[in-house]
Amino acid sequence: MSRFPASLSAAALAAAITAAVPGVARAQLSLADALREADRGAYANRAAAGAADAERARTLAPLRGILPSARLEAGFVRTTDPIGAFGTTLRQREVTPAAFDPARLNYPAPVNNYSSGAVVEVPLFNPDAWAGRRAASRAADASDAQAIWTRLATRTDVIRAYYGAALATERVATLEAASRAAQAHLSQARSMVRQGLVTKSDALLASVRAGEVEVQLAEARGDALNARRQLAVLLGRAEGALPVVPGALPTSDRILALVAPDTALGPAAPRADVHAAEAGREAAEADVLRARATLLPRINSFARYDWNAPSGAFAGERNWTVGVMASWSLFAGASELADVRGAAGRRSAAQAMAEGAVAQARLEAEQTRTALDVALQRLAIAEQGAAQGAEAHRLVEKRYGGGLATVAELLDAQATETGSALALSHARYGVIAAAAARRQALGTDPGTLAVLEENAAPVARTADPLPTTPPTR
C-alpha cells in the first residue's frame, strides 16, 4: 500500500508538495502569467534575442566605408638619426643656417618631437560597403523574425507544459477517486465474505486491484511533480522555484467554444519563420553584390592638421594636408573570386531554405488542421465513453451488492470507469495542444488560448500581444 492516504485530495496534495519543496511559489500561476514569464525568461527566447541583437549590431560595421570618420593622433619620438633629426627640426620650423653645418648634419644631437594630428576621412565611392550594409540589414531582419518565431514556439511549448502539468494533477485526482472506490469495494467484499455471501477470492481480487490503483497513484504523483519541474525549466526559473498549476483542465464545453472555429480558419497569415527565410535570401543576394563590388575601385578623401613641437602635444605651428585616394585591387591571389563564388553558393542555399520554409508552413497548416479535427473527434468519443463508463460502474456495483455480479465484473467496471475518465482528460489536453500548434502553424499567437482559464480577462489582457512578424524596415 502507498504511504499516501487514499483520502488525500488534489488540493491537499498540491499543498503537501508545496510545503515539502523549498522556494516553491505558493500562488497559483495563471497561463497568461506563465506566457509573460516565458517571454522574458525562457532560455530559448533569451538566446534568440541575444543573437538578434548581435546580428543587428553587425549592421554598423559597413558604415566605416559610408560615413565620415575623425580621429586624433599623438606620439613622441627622440632620435639621433640624421634624416629623422633634420626632418624633425624642419617640421618644427626651427631650421637655421647652423642646421646645415655638415658636422651637425652627420652627427646631430638627440632631437625630441611631439607629433599630433587631427584627421578627417570622407568615403566617396565604396560600393562594397553599401552592398554590405544592405546584406547586414536584411540579415538582422531575418534574425529579428527568427526571434519572434522562437517566442511563438516557446508559447506553444508553455501551453503544452502548463496544461500538461494540469493534466498530471487531474490524473492524480482521478486515481485518488479510483483508490477510494477500490478501498470501498475491498471493504464491501470483506463484509460479504464474513456474511458468507461470497468466497474469500472476492476479497483477494479486490485487494489486488486496490494495490494496483495505489501503484498507479504513486506514479501519477511523481509525474505531476516532474511536470511542474519541466514547466519551471521551460519558464527559465531558478532551481527549486516550482510553479503551482490548476488542479484540473478546462471543461470540454469551454475548450470547444474557443477551439472549434480554428478548424475553419482561412489561409495562414505571414509566418515569422517564413519572413526570416525570405529576409535571409535577400541578405544572401545583397552579399553577392557586396562580393562583386569588391572588384570595383574605391575612392576616399581625407584632410588633416599636424603639429610638431619639442615641448608637448598639439603645440607649435600647424600644417594641413588634403587629398583624394583611389585604389583598385586587380588581383589578390584569387581570394576575391573565392568570395564571389562563396556568396553565390550561400545565395543558392538561402533560396532553397526560403522555398522550403514556405512549403513547410503550408504543410504544417494542413497537418495541424487534420490533427485538430482528430483531437475534437477523440474528445467527443471520450465524453461519451466517460459517461457510459461511470454509469456501467454504478449498475455493476448495484448488481454486485445484490449478488447478481461477480467481483471480477465489479473490478473491471471500476477499471473501465477510471480508464475512461483518464482518457477524457487526455482528450481535453490533446485538443488544447492541437489548437496551440494550429494557431502557431497559421502564423497567429497561440497565447490567445489563455482565455481558457475560468476567470480570464479578455484576450488583450491575458497575455502581452506578440507580433507575428517584425516591422518592415
Side-chain angles (χ1 to χ4, degrees):
M1 298 293 289
S2 170
R3 68 179 184 276
F4 294 101
S7 59
L8 186 61
S9 66
L13 171 65
I17 295 176
T18 299
V21 181
V24 171
R26 297 182 180 275
Q28 180 173 301
L29 179 69
S30 69
L31 177 57
D33 289 338
L35 293 172
R36 279 189 286 266
E37 186 175 342
D39 286 344
R40 296 188 302 269
Y43 300 117
N45 289 348
R46 287 157 52 192
D53 290 342
E55 197 67 41
R56 182 62 59 185
R58 292 180 60 184
T59 63
L60 301 177
L63 294 178
R64 182 182 182 90
I66 299 174
L67 299 179
S69 62
R71 67 178 186 273
L72 296 176
E73 300 174 348
F76 172 77
V77 173
R78 179 178 174 84
T79 182
T80 59
D81 173 67
I83 295 178
F86 185 80
T88 297
T89 303
L90 186 60
R91 287 193 182 94
Q92 295 175 355
R93 292 182 170 84
E94 302 211 0
V95 174
T96 63
F100 293 94
D101 178 23
R104 186 171 179 179
L105 288 174
N106 289 325
Y107 301 98
V111 177
N112 296 336
N113 183 61
Y114 290 89
S115 61
S116 312
V119 185
V120 176
E121 296 176 342
V122 181
L124 300 179
F125 181 71
N126 290 305
D128 57 326
W130 286 97
R133 169 72 172 174
R134 167 69 177 172
S137 179
R138 296 308 293 150
D141 290 343
S143 188
D144 289 341
Q146 190 59 48
I148 291 177
W149 183 249
T150 299
R151 289 179 63 190
L152 282 173
T154 299
R155 285 192 166 193
T156 300
D157 292 340
V158 167
I159 292 170
R160 289 174 178 153
Y162 180 87
Y163 283 119
L167 171 64
T169 305
E170 184 173 301
R171 181 169 179 261
V172 170
T174 301
L175 289 173
E176 284 176 344
S179 178
R180 290 192 294 269
Q183 292 294 332
H185 295 333
L186 177 58
S187 298
Q188 184 182 16
R190 287 173 175 172
S191 175
M192 295 178 73
V193 168
R194 289 192 296 268
Q195 297 174 19
L197 300 176
V198 297
T199 64
K200 187 177 180 181
S201 63
D202 284 20
L204 295 176
L205 288 173
S207 179
V208 171
R209 175 57 186 164
E212 292 175 350
V213 173
E214 284 296 314
V215 171
Q216 294 176 0
L217 179 56
E219 292 176 347
R221 284 171 172 151
D223 291 342
L225 188 58
N226 286 334
R228 292 171 57 202
R229 288 171 176 156
Q230 181 180 359
L231 177 59
V233 170
L234 185 58
L235 297 177
R237 286 195 173 189
E239 182 178 0
L242 301 185
V244 176
V245 298
L249 293 165
T251 63
S252 298
D253 291 341
R254 191 172 185 87
I255 294 173
L256 290 173
L258 180 64
V259 169
D262 286 1
T263 60
L265 289 178
R271 290 185 9 166
D273 62 329
V274 174
H275 182 84
E278 291 176 346
R281 175 184 55 77
E282 294 175 4
E285 290 176 349
D287 192 54
V288 171
L289 294 178
R290 177 207 57 78
R292 291 173 177 172
T294 59
L295 304 176
L296 298 176
R298 301 178 181 87
I299 302 177
N300 297 283
S301 63
F302 68 93
R304 61 180 301 147
Y305 277 109
D306 290 286
W307 291 264
N308 291 274
S311 56
F314 298 98
E317 296 292 332
R318 67 182 181 182
N319 57 78
W320 57 266
T321 306
V322 296
V324 175
M325 177 69 70
S327 62
W328 193 354
S329 178
L330 299 178
F331 185 74
S335 61
E336 67 282 359
L337 297 180
D339 189 15
V340 171
R341 292 182 180 179
R346 291 189 293 271
R347 178 181 60 184
S348 298
Q351 177 66 34
M353 292 177 65
E355 294 174 0
V358 173
Q360 183 66 26
R362 188 182 305 113
L363 174 62
E364 290 178 1
E366 296 169 353
Q367 287 179 328
T368 54
R369 181 171 185 175
T370 300
L372 183 56
D373 284 336
V374 172
L376 290 171
Q377 293 176 32
R378 183 180 293 114
L379 177 59
I381 295 173
E383 282 280 0
Q384 184 178 5
Q388 292 173 345
E391 180 63 13
H393 183 202
R394 186 188 68 81
L395 293 175
V396 173
E397 187 175 14
K398 185 176 180 180
R399 291 174 58 206
Y400 181 74
L404 301 177
T406 66
V407 71
E409 292 175 322
L410 176 62
L411 298 178
D412 287 344
Q414 182 209 341
T416 299
E417 180 186 14
T418 301
S420 62
L422 294 175
L424 177 58
S425 298
H426 279 280
R428 297 206 307 273
Y429 171 77
V431 171
I432 294 173
R438 171 71 171 160
R439 296 191 178 195
Q440 181 188 348
L442 292 177
T444 58
D445 183 8
T448 53
L449 290 175
V451 295
L452 282 172
E453 296 170 313
E454 290 294 335
N455 299 318
V459 175
R461 294 192 218 164
T462 57
D464 295 336
L466 182 63
T468 54
T469 56
T472 302
R473 299 181 185 276

